[in-house]
Amino acid sequence: MLLLFSRLELDDAQAEMAMSLCEEMKDWEAFRQIATHRFVLPIAYRHLRRLQPASLSAEQMAKMRHQVMSYYQHDLNVMVSLREVIQQLLRPLNIPYVTFKGPSLAARYYDEPAMRFSRDIDILVPRERMPELLALALAEGYRPLDPPELANNPISLAFVARYQKVVTLQSPRGIDVEFHSRIDNIGTVYDSRSLIDKAELMRVGNADVAVLPHDELFVYICWHHTKHFWSHLHWLVDIDAMQRHPSFDREGVLACADRHELKITVEACLKMAEVLSSPDFDFHCHTDARVDELLTLALEAMQGDIKLEHELANRKPTPDFAFHWQTDRRHRLRWQLLGWLRIFRPSYADYSEWPLPPRWHWLYRPLRPWRESVRRWSQSRH
């Protein structure tokens, strides 16, 4: 039933099947908890409010409504925080950026943006502008979360901008904001500066926000969610909402995917969404082994937890691709080389424990394996 509910609207066949499943529902409390865990309680509540199944008690309906109202409050807080990040940090410094996922996606493609739960805010900025952005944010009361010990001084901020691709701060309103300098692991899937240059302005609340073009965002969503095995059901709502939008152009999306060498990934995601939209979907109603593998692991991940997702991640050929058929041998070999070299990449913890002036930062690399071994040995003793 949650798979059926993971879309903005139900057609007649889907609604009929949903009502049939509602009649079989024995534990609505368990349903509410799973919908919460998979981030689709708001959209599930909307469908149930329209269907009004007799098996759903007024007490359970009220409990869902109360929880959904708390999500509405959180999402409003996220929207306001996004506006404040833009108006208080990015615009005063004239930093180019693009925001993706979360609140801007909800405002753009959902008829009711509050239906899309957003945990945090994701913003891509040029790496060279990261130190001044972080300095202003920390001065304005943002709290560092990753790295938690981030200090507001030029050397510290230059170090973290150079060696950490995502820095997470918590806004004064308590909303996590992830500042990205890259949205893939080694920069072979996406060129950050090119994405920022393609940004379009759209109205989110009462602020103009830079977002990705429709085709670019759809391709990114398919790639990103596949990387995480579609483990959250609200990602299915995302792909449904985007396909329903008047801007959706399937041929344009596939052409964009082809430019990023992601066409196979996008085609598999489109087929998966089509299969899951069927009221009585059949795992093997197609002949594409890639779609079968995607469906199998996605449905496994949707029912698992973060531990299972980590176990699945260990099978990935590279951190950027969940399946071998998504990429080629050239990319995998490049990651194997760079992955091996990453053991020499210093972390902010290295700098925090042993702060060196910039001219000596090269020492972190040769000493990194030894320092990491000492750190792990020390932790194991405690």
Side-chain angles (χ1 to χ4, degrees):
M1 188 156 69
L2 284 172
L3 287 173
L4 277 178
F5 282 173
S6 296
R7 65 200 72 259
L8 290 187
E9 302 290 342
L10 300 177
D11 61 27
D12 291 343
Q14 291 165 343
E16 182 180 353
M17 175 59 73
M19 284 298 289
S20 175
L21 292 171
C22 284
E23 292 174 4
E24 300 176 19
M25 184 65 63
K26 304 298 183 183
D27 189 347
W28 282 104
E29 178 61 21
F31 173 88
R32 183 183 65 84
Q33 292 178 7
I34 296 173
T36 299
H37 186 59
R38 296 302 168 194
F39 303 121
V40 288
L41 184 62
I43 197 73
Y45 170 75
R46 180 165 86 167
H47 291 312
L48 289 170
R49 190 178 59 196
R50 292 175 176 175
L51 293 171
Q52 292 292 314
S55 60
L56 178 58
S57 68
E59 180 185 2
Q60 274 293 337
M61 197 68 164
K63 188 179 290 188
M64 290 186 194
R65 181 172 61 251
H66 178 76
Q67 189 171 343
V68 169
M69 289 302 107
S70 70
Y71 287 162
Y72 286 179
Q73 183 178 9
H74 169 81
D75 288 338
L76 286 172
N77 206 15
V78 172
M79 289 288 190
V80 174
S81 294
L82 174 59
R83 182 190 66 197
E84 290 175 345
V85 168
I86 294 169
Q87 294 180 345
Q88 298 174 4
L89 305 180
L90 295 165
R91 283 184 185 166
L93 296 173
N94 196 29
I95 294 178
Y97 73 95
V98 65
T99 182
F100 52 101
K101 298 191 295 182
S104 60
L105 187 152
R108 197 175 188 184
Y109 298 105
Y110 284 61
D111 55 339
E112 295 182 50
M115 290 292 102
R116 207 279 186 186
F117 177 71
S118 301
R119 285 188 296 181
D120 52 26
I121 297 169
D122 294 273
I123 300 177
L124 178 66
V125 299
R127 179 185 296 275
E128 65 273 13
R129 304 298 302 275
M130 186 75 80
E132 58 186 305
L133 171 60
L134 297 176
L136 180 57
L138 293 172
E140 290 290 333
Y142 286 70
R143 184 169 65 89
L145 294 182
D146 183 17
E149 65 274 25
L150 182 63
N152 191 1
N153 65 70
I155 298 177
S156 168
L157 298 179
F159 183 93
V160 77
R162 180 179 180 184
Y163 292 110
Q164 188 162 319
K165 67 184 181 70
V166 185
V167 178
T168 305
L169 306 181
Q170 188 174 79
S171 77
R173 292 179 175 274
I175 301 300
D176 294 357
V177 184
E178 294 188 354
F179 292 109
H180 301 248
S181 59
R182 194 169 64 231
I183 61 174
D184 60 348
N185 280 279
I186 59 176
T188 58
V189 182
Y190 281 103
D191 175 74
S192 298
R193 189 67 214 204
S194 175
L195 284 181
I196 294 172
D197 290 343
K198 293 177 182 176
E200 303 173 347
L201 288 179
M202 70 161 287
R203 199 74 174 170
V204 177
N206 59 355
D208 289 327
V209 177
V211 297
L212 288 174
H214 301 284
D215 293 349
E216 288 284 358
L217 181 61
F218 191 90
V219 172
Y220 167 80
I221 288 295
C222 289
W223 167 75
H224 176 268
H225 296 350
T226 300
K227 184 171 71 168
H228 294 284
F229 301 98
W230 293 85
S231 57
H232 295 152
L233 288 178
H234 70 320
W235 291 343
L236 286 179
V237 191
D238 286 346
I239 199 171
D240 175 72
M242 294 183 74
Q243 288 186 86
R244 291 177 185 273
H245 196 268
S247 66
F248 182 74
D249 174 9
R250 186 185 182 95
E251 293 307 314
V253 162
L254 292 175
C256 178
D258 202 25
R259 291 194 294 272
H260 292 292
E261 299 183 358
L262 294 172
K263 188 174 182 180
I264 293 175
T265 298
V266 172
E267 288 176 333
C269 291
L270 287 168
K271 182 61 179 178
M272 180 189 73
E274 179 185 334
V275 171
L276 292 179
S277 69
S278 172
D280 52 352
F281 72 88
D282 180 356
F283 290 103
H284 306 292
C285 64
H286 48 80
T287 57
D288 192 329
R290 294 169 297 192
V291 178
D292 184 67
E293 186 180 13
L294 175 59
L295 269 169
T296 300
L297 288 188
L299 288 167
E300 184 179 348
M302 290 172 190
Q303 299 173 78
D305 54 16
I306 190 65
K307 180 181 178 182
L308 174 61
E309 188 175 336
H310 288 161
E311 290 174 359
L312 292 175
N314 291 331
R315 309 181 199 173
K316 292 161 60 173
T318 80
D320 285 329
F321 293 102
F323 304 98
H324 280 81
W325 46 262
Q326 290 182 273
T327 184
D328 56 24
R329 182 176 177 82
R330 172 181 55 83
H331 181 93
R332 293 193 292 271
L333 287 175
R334 181 173 182 180
W335 168 254
Q336 289 173 6
L337 173 61
L338 294 179
W340 181 81
L341 291 175
R342 282 171 69 89
I343 65 173
F344 298 100
R345 187 181 184 87
S347 68
Y348 189 83
D350 295 317
Y351 172 82
S352 180
E353 294 172 7
W354 189 31
L356 294 174
R359 68 179 182 277
W360 295 108
H361 282 181
W362 62 271
L363 282 173
Y364 290 120
R365 289 187 179 275
L367 295 177
R368 165 74 175 168
W370 174 77
R371 288 177 58 80
E372 184 64 21
S373 298
V374 171
R375 186 182 297 120
R376 293 186 180 185
W377 177 78
S378 177
Q379 291 174 349
S380 67
R381 285 174 56 90
H382 293 87

